[in-house]
Amino acid sequence: MQPMRAVVIIMVRATAWLCIAAGLMVAPAWAGDPQQVMADLSTNLFAALEREPPAARQNANKVRPLLDHLLAPHFDSECAARLVLGMHWRTASPDQRQQFAAALYQRLLRTYAGAVTDWTPDRFKQLPVVADPAALRVTVHTLITNSRSEVVPVDFRMHETEDDWKIFDVVVDGVSYVRNYHDDTDAEVAQKGLDATIARLQRIDSGTVERASASSAKRVR
């Protein structure tokens, strides 16, 4: 009886392992699915814009809080700031890092809020994600038809965090938000210091939007 019991135990354990393995194989390719995150984000954005009066929808300052509410949970502002600052991130204090990340994120909102107001479901097309399921970074490609009937590629670079997949860069027609600001701020931080750069970014003046970033936003309007 003892040998037979041992065989039964081994078979039960083997069956349990196969069930677990089968469950793993049918699990989603990505935890949280970056494509679904972007699909939900765009759906919620269009629904929120649709609820706004036409006058408010065309006012970028009115749209910014709405965009912030939807985007903030899905945007990794610290990661974006770290990439923008590059080597300067290592010497920045925790307070400087936090202030720079917040100011940079607000600049993103200011730069793209005007463009987003013109987006509609029929002008927005999200393409399937083609990437290794084990990848920790993916790019979600979208196509935006702007007001001049031009199709502009807008890519959202995302990475997997402990919470979910989050955006850390937006690339409009090949122009990277992170790369733009890295090029603009690297020399400035080296010459004037990080505090001066933070102060510039924090200035509340719609006329101070950097030319390169402003031109990127115009492409998708």
Side-chain angles (χ1 to χ4, degrees):
M1 293 294 294
Q2 199 67 20
M4 180 58 69
R5 181 176 178 177
V7 171
V8 171
I9 292 174
I10 292 172
M11 290 180 64
V12 169
R13 288 176 177 174
T15 303
W17 169 248
L18 286 172
C19 290
I20 294 172
L24 291 175
M25 286 188 290
V26 299
W30 285 286
D33 191 349
Q35 184 160 307
Q36 189 60 50
V37 169
M38 282 305 307
D40 292 344
L41 179 58
S42 60
T43 298
N44 292 335
L45 174 63
F46 294 136
L49 288 174
E50 191 65 30
R51 291 192 294 268
E52 292 294 318
R57 178 169 176 162
Q58 294 305 315
N59 187 331
N61 289 327
K62 296 283 187 182
V63 172
R64 277 181 66 195
L66 183 153
L67 181 60
D68 179 30
H69 176 72
L70 294 174
L71 182 61
H74 305 291
F75 191 85
D76 193 336
S77 56
E78 181 178 316
C79 177
R82 187 169 64 249
L83 293 173
V84 168
L85 282 181
M87 64 180 182
H88 302 297
W89 179 266
R90 295 195 296 270
T91 57
S93 69
D95 185 57
Q96 286 176 318
R97 291 176 177 179
Q98 188 276 328
Q99 288 189 55
F100 182 82
L104 190 69
Y105 172 69
Q106 289 302 317
R107 182 61 69 187
L108 170 73
L109 292 179
R110 181 179 294 280
T111 301
Y112 290 106
V116 168
T117 60
D118 288 332
W119 292 11
T120 54
D122 60 306
R123 291 169 57 183
F124 179 91
K125 181 179 181 180
Q126 182 173 320
L127 305 180
V129 173
V130 180
D132 183 347
L136 299 179
R137 288 188 177 187
V138 301
T139 299
V140 177
H141 301 278
T142 69
L143 298 174
I144 308 293
T145 303
N146 63 22
S147 57
R148 298 178 297 281
S149 298
E150 300 167 337
V151 178
V152 181
V154 179
D155 299 333
F156 297 88
R157 298 179 65 199
M158 306 179 71
H159 72 144
E160 189 174 16
T161 69
E162 292 181 357
D163 301 323
D164 205 344
W165 284 85
K166 292 192 176 183
I167 303 163
F168 66 90
D169 191 14
V170 181
V171 183
V172 178
D173 201 13
V175 179
S176 162
Y177 156 80
V178 163
R179 173 55 61 183
N180 254 348
Y181 280 106
H182 173 76
D183 294 344
D184 288 345
T185 61
D186 186 53
E188 182 182 19
V189 173
Q191 294 173 7
K192 300 179 180 179
L194 183 53
D195 287 334
T197 300
I198 292 171
R200 176 178 63 82
L201 288 173
Q202 288 176 334
R203 284 199 295 268
I204 304 175
D205 180 1
S206 60
T208 63
V209 178
E210 284 79 355
R211 290 190 299 273
S213 296
S215 63
S216 293
K218 288 178 182 177
R219 289 188 181 96
V220 294
R221 286 185 180 180

